[in-house]
Amino acid sequence: MGNYLVLQTDFGLGDGAVSAMYGVAHMVSNEIIVGDLTHEIPPYDIWAASYRLYQTVKYWPKETVFVSVVDPGVGSARRSIVAKTSSGHYIITPDNGSLTHILHYQGIEEIRSIDEVTSRLPHSEESHTFHGRDIYAYNGARLASSEISFEELGSIVAMDSIQTLPLIEAKQEGHILEGSIDVLDIRFGSLWTNIPFAFMKEEKIVPNDQLQVTIYHQGKKVYQNIMKFAKSFADVNIGEPLVYVNSLVNIGVAVNQDSFSKLYHIGTGTDWTIQLRKAPKIIF
């Protein structure tokens, strides 16, 4: 194993929950290095958890173990699973949709079901509400430290039996690029779409071209404007909107030094779709 354990939760850092997960990991092994993906996933937001894994996993060394705990169904009949991704990483998570984006965009080799009765922190049997500590951090640390192998964690489950969230495919039709607004660049309020930069190249859209951007909520138009396709934020004035390529090489929409999301009340998820096209040349 790679000896790295990376944690993601919706717990925040306001109490001792994340620290307890760290403690359990270090009780299993002093050798592992524990890192954080984020603990600021909005409460119960499985979609955001799934997206942040997709955003981050492949940038860690192979064999890194990720533990993602956004678990509205803790204590219910939902399964605990461990996935081996096509990129050679491991993810331990509730079976509730957290693997949606990784499965779709990057691929998963195999999934196993963890036995919550036998594979858990010793003497934690009476607690049914903190599986992040008792099952996920514990087994993540065992896997990261090679105390247990991926195969020993549980039996194989069918790939098509795991829970997934609905996704919208980005598409190109008649010079219009269309996709969903999947997530925000949180601190800055930029919109991250699932439209790949490759679509822009196919349409021969280059930096400094003007694009018509239209945003829909549940099919109803809520925003339309013409803005520059810019290489960087500095290519437009402060307060000016722009289209750019984000760190996942997908298309983003932003306002230089302001929050596009707050200014125009734009949300994320499959209810929010966006269309881009080259703006018609206007002659004055």
Side-chain angles (χ1 to χ4, degrees):
M1 283 295 121
N3 275 14
Y4 289 108
L5 176 67
V6 180
L7 307 178
Q8 165 174 278
T9 71
D10 57 354
F11 299 165
L13 296 173
D15 65 12
V18 171
S19 184
M21 290 173 71
Y22 263 76
V24 164
H26 288 306
M27 272 204 291
V28 170
S29 165
N30 276 326
E31 302 299 305
I32 53 176
I33 298 160
V34 186
D36 303 299
L37 196 163
T38 177
H39 298 290
E40 302 300 328
I41 297 287
Y44 320 121
D45 191 339
I46 297 163
W47 172 274
S50 172
Y51 196 93
R52 296 302 174 200
L53 287 168
Y54 158 55
Q55 181 188 349
T56 311
V57 164
K58 66 183 178 187
Y59 295 103
W60 279 81
K62 281 188 176 176
E63 301 202 327
T64 295
V65 178
F66 290 81
V67 163
S68 176
V69 190
V70 176
D71 194 12
V74 64
S76 70
R78 63 100 189 93
R79 295 183 294 193
S80 292
I81 52 178
V82 55
K84 183 178 186 179
T85 71
S86 301
S87 56
H89 300 86
Y90 297 95
I91 304 169
I92 298 180
T93 184
D95 179 13
N96 60 12
S98 298
L99 294 175
T100 299
H101 288 85
I102 291 268
L103 178 64
H104 185 82
Y105 291 111
Q106 292 169 2
I108 289 174
E109 265 181 33
E110 193 170 285
I111 298 173
R112 290 178 175 263
S113 178
I114 296 170
D115 187 329
E116 292 182 2
V117 177
T118 58
S119 293
R120 64 182 299 139
L121 183 69
H123 317 299
S124 68
E125 299 80 12
E126 301 300 325
S127 170
H128 303 287
T129 57
F130 197 179
H131 287 176
R133 176 194 64 197
D134 302 335
I135 294 165
Y136 297 114
Y138 176 66
N139 284 303
R142 291 167 83 208
L143 185 59
S145 65
S146 302
E147 185 183 298
I148 195 169
S149 70
F150 171 67
E151 291 73 21
E152 288 168 326
L153 269 173
S155 49
I156 293 179
V157 298
M159 205 75 74
D160 60 5
S161 76
I162 68 162
Q163 297 284 320
T164 54
L165 306 169
L167 288 176
I168 289 175
E169 283 282 11
K171 60 185 185 192
Q172 256 175 307
E173 276 176 12
H175 303 301
I176 296 174
L177 313 183
E178 186 173 334
S180 53
I181 299 169
D182 282 348
V183 81
L184 300 181
D185 186 352
I186 301 280
R187 279 180 75 83
F188 305 107
S190 314
L191 315 179
W192 281 23
T193 79
N194 66 340
I195 299 171
F197 177 45
F199 283 11
M200 301 272 271
K201 286 185 181 163
E202 283 169 37
E203 289 298 324
K204 300 188 168 45
I205 295 168
V206 295
N208 296 323
D209 278 352
Q210 297 292 319
L211 301 181
Q212 179 180 297
V213 176
T214 313
I215 296 174
Y216 300 86
H217 182 241
Q218 296 177 343
K220 184 175 157 229
K221 189 196 292 188
V222 293
Y223 176 90
Q224 188 169 61
N225 201 356
I226 290 178
M227 56 185 83
K228 185 195 278 192
F229 174 41
K231 263 192 172 161
S232 73
F233 283 51
D235 292 347
V236 300
N237 294 321
I238 290 174
E240 205 178 326
L242 66 144
V243 174
Y244 69 103
V245 179
N246 74 10
S247 58
L248 292 178
V249 201
N250 287 334
I251 298 307
V253 178
V255 172
N256 189 12
Q257 296 187 34
D258 209 333
S259 166
F260 196 103
S261 161
K262 279 192 183 136
L263 282 173
Y264 302 109
H265 311 291
I266 308 296
T268 59
T270 51
D271 280 350
W272 294 87
T273 54
I274 185 165
Q275 288 183 349
L276 306 174
R277 63 190 302 171
K278 250 189 187 171
K281 292 243 184 320
I282 301 165
I283 298 163
F284 293 101

